[in-house]
């Protein structure tokens, strides 16, 4: 297959490495010439993605920030033609999908929203790896009325990457759930390390500290854009968390051991129900 990738950060770079290692031709568009050159030297990319060769791609993945993804779809849209599947890989879906569908309708190409559910706390091509998506889910937001034939094509072109499966959803549902599963976790982690105690944690911390602070090491520009794109759902999740934190604080202030135990049991029970064996 011929694969086009826009953006060679952690996400796009990992796609490039995975497809290249699988023997597929990878074309890439990257605003930083030095990053593109490193990708070519690493054997992850063969050539530059252009408006001339884009129509020959089987799959084009836009692995950039939401606003940049929309800009790419509108700029390259007239050149795509009917052959490639064009999928954005942005962390929010409502705004991108709305504008992506409009561009697809205007220019006649096949577009789907997407979100690979994998990553690390680090960003950039240098941290990309071919096995990043192996065993992870891929979320797909298909066009309205899309049938199984289109989803079968999606599974085929994504198969070399090694996803465990594809989750089909709507843009609205994606953004509602991702506010909890991803965005809230980044907000909490980033706020948690602002405690004065964080300055003297060494020698007093282990797994709990590492687990809770891993994603505090984030890309501020990217996450700010994602948070603002999804502000309604994220604010709701933050408000819910604050409400529950106040319950714990109130029990501590009142010295209410029995109710505090009930709160802790309730959280433990919910975790067991959600993720227990």
């Amino acid at each position: 297959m011929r694969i086009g990738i826009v953006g060679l950060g952690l996400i796009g770079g990992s796609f490039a490495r995975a497809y290249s290692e699988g023997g597929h031709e990878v074309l890439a568009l990257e605003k930083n010439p030095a990053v593109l050159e490193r990708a070519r030297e690493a054997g992850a990319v063969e050539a530059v993605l252009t408006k001339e060769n884009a129509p020959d791609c089987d799959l084009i993945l836009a692995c950039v920030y939401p606003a940049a993804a929309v800009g790419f779809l509108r700029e390259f849209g007239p050149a795509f033609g009917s052959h490639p599947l064009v999928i954005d890989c942005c962390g929010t879906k409502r705004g991108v999908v709305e504008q992506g569908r409009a561009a697809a309708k205007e220019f006649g190409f096949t577009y789907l929203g997407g979100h690979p559910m994998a990553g690390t706390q680090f960003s950039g091509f240098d941290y990309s790896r071919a096995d990043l998506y192996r065993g992870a889910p891929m979320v797909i937001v298909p066009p309205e009325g899309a049938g199984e034939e289109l989803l079968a094509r999606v599974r085929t072109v994504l198969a070399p990457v090694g996803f465990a499966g594809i989750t089909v959803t709507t843009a609205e549902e994606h953004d509602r759930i991702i506010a909890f599963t991803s965005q809230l976790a980044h907000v909490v982690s980033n706020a948690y390390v602002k405690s004065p105690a964080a300055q003297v944690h060494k020698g007093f911390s282990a797994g709990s500290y590492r687990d809770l602070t891993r994603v505090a090491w984030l890309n501020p520009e990217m996450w700010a854009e994602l948070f603002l794109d999804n502000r309604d759902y994220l604010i709701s999740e933050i408000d819910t968390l604050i409400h529950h934190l106040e319950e714990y604080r109130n029990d501590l202030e009142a010295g209410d051991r029995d109710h505090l135990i009930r709160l802790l049991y309730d959280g433990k029970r919910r975790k067991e129900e959600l993720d227990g064996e």
Side-chain angles (χ1 to χ4, degrees):
M1 291 189 296
R2 171 177 276 188
I3 309 297
I5 297 176
V6 183
L8 290 172
L10 174 69
I11 300 303
S14 294
F15 273 120
R17 290 183 188 275
Y19 279 110
S20 180
E21 286 193 8
H24 303 282
E25 181 184 8
V26 177
L27 311 177
L29 187 63
E30 167 56 51
K31 65 181 181 180
N32 187 329
V35 172
L36 180 60
E37 184 58 29
R38 287 205 302 277
R40 296 181 76 162
E41 290 175 354
V45 172
E46 291 191 28
V48 175
L49 176 68
T50 67
K51 292 179 182 178
E52 288 69 37
N53 57 34
D56 297 325
C57 290
D58 299 289
L59 172 67
I60 297 174
L61 296 164
C63 305
V64 289
Y65 299 178
V70 171
F72 166 74
L73 294 175
R74 295 212 60 83
E75 180 183 351
F76 271 62
F80 286 144
S82 60
H83 178 64
L85 290 182
V86 182
I87 302 176
D88 84 85
C89 295
C90 300
T92 57
K93 294 270 69 83
R94 283 174 292 173
V96 180
V97 165
E98 180 182 3
Q99 295 181 75
R101 286 176 177 174
K105 182 177 180 180
E106 180 179 353
F107 301 124
F109 63 89
T110 302
Y111 161 77
L112 304 94
H115 188 183
M117 301 308 300
T120 73
Q121 66 269 39
F122 304 112
S123 60
F125 179 79
D126 293 339
Y127 293 101
S128 64
R129 61 178 200 262
D131 65 349
L132 182 67
Y133 306 117
R134 196 167 299 153
M138 174 68 169
V139 177
I140 290 292
V141 179
E144 293 179 352
E148 182 55 38
E149 182 178 351
L150 176 59
L151 293 177
R153 281 187 65 197
V154 171
R155 293 186 182 95
T156 297
V157 295
L158 290 177
V161 178
F163 287 112
I166 291 176
T167 301
V168 178
T169 188
T170 64
E172 186 87 15
E173 183 72 355
H174 169 277
D175 286 0
R176 183 181 70 82
I177 296 175
I178 215 70
F180 168 71
T181 60
S182 177
Q183 294 181 342
L184 181 65
H186 284 78
V187 169
V188 170
S189 183
N190 198 261
Y192 174 78
V193 295
K194 294 177 182 178
S195 167
Q199 302 302 317
V200 292
H201 79 86
K202 291 184 178 179
F204 296 87
S205 59
S208 297
Y209 173 84
R210 288 194 302 271
D211 292 345
L212 189 50
T213 61
R214 182 180 67 83
V215 293
W217 202 333
L218 45 68
N219 180 329
E221 289 78 14
M222 181 188 76
W223 283 101
E225 184 169 335
L226 296 177
F227 290 166
L228 289 169
D229 278 352
N230 207 31
R231 71 185 76 181
D232 51 350
Y233 284 130
L234 181 54
I235 288 172
S236 177
E237 289 296 339
I238 291 173
D239 287 344
T240 298
L241 178 62
I242 289 172
H243 166 72
H244 288 301
L245 289 174
E246 287 177 340
E247 290 182 317
Y248 294 96
R249 188 189 186 284
N250 291 341
D251 284 350
L252 291 168
E253 189 172 51
D256 191 340
R257 183 178 186 275
D258 290 342
H259 193 260
L260 180 59
I261 289 173
R262 287 199 294 273
L263 285 179
L264 295 170
Y265 265 120
D266 183 53
K268 179 175 180 288
R269 175 185 59 80
R270 294 190 189 199
K271 174 63 176 176
E272 288 172 346
E273 290 174 351
L274 290 169
D275 303 312
E277 296 296 330

